[in-house]
Amino acid sequence: MNVIVVLLDSLNRHMVGAYGAEEFDTPNIDRFAARAVRFDRHYAGSLPCMPARHDLLCGALDFLWKPWGSIEIWERPVTAHLREAGVTTVLASDHPHLFETGG
């Protein structure tokens, strides 16, 4: 089984055809969504990009004490558990903060 997690934290779901929007054409995302699992009721613990990604990777709601930065060296992100299970993980991001010490 292959798993791809796509986080588009600056994209409003009301602008994506897969969620019923008609204002813009989003054919690539729509085709991907047709074959994917979509989260229709997700509640973010943090709204800015980096803290939200940290919440998802580490399962921790840390925004109030750690507003912006990498995963700490003492934290165990979900990717560590996946690697132990033999799953190859890759990260493509526009946030260089993820690659700072600990990231």
Side-chain angles (χ1 to χ4, degrees):
M1 178 185 344
N2 295 314
V3 177
I4 298 173
V5 177
V6 178
L7 298 174
L8 300 169
D9 51 19
S10 297
L11 178 64
N12 188 319
R13 69 178 264 163
H14 298 352
M15 298 295 166
V16 178
Y19 288 99
E22 297 177 356
E23 186 174 353
F24 300 101
D25 289 327
T26 56
N28 294 329
I29 294 174
D30 298 344
R31 276 194 304 275
F32 180 70
R35 300 179 317 190
V37 174
R38 291 181 295 150
F39 294 93
D40 293 323
R41 284 188 231 153
H42 170 72
Y43 299 94
S46 307
L47 293 180
C49 331
M50 284 293 294
R53 292 172 189 195
H54 179 266
D55 293 352
L56 291 169
L57 287 169
C58 296
L61 305 177
D62 296 330
F63 180 56
L64 295 178
W65 76 269
K66 182 186 179 349
W68 201 269
S70 65
I71 295 168
E72 301 294 346
I73 57 174
W74 64 82
E75 294 180 298
R76 237 173 109 70
V78 67
T79 51
H81 300 282
L82 290 170
R83 277 193 306 275
E84 287 175 357
V87 177
T88 301
T89 64
V90 176
L91 171 68
S93 177
D94 61 345
H95 289 290
H97 310 294
L98 284 171
F99 302 101
E100 293 172 352
T101 302

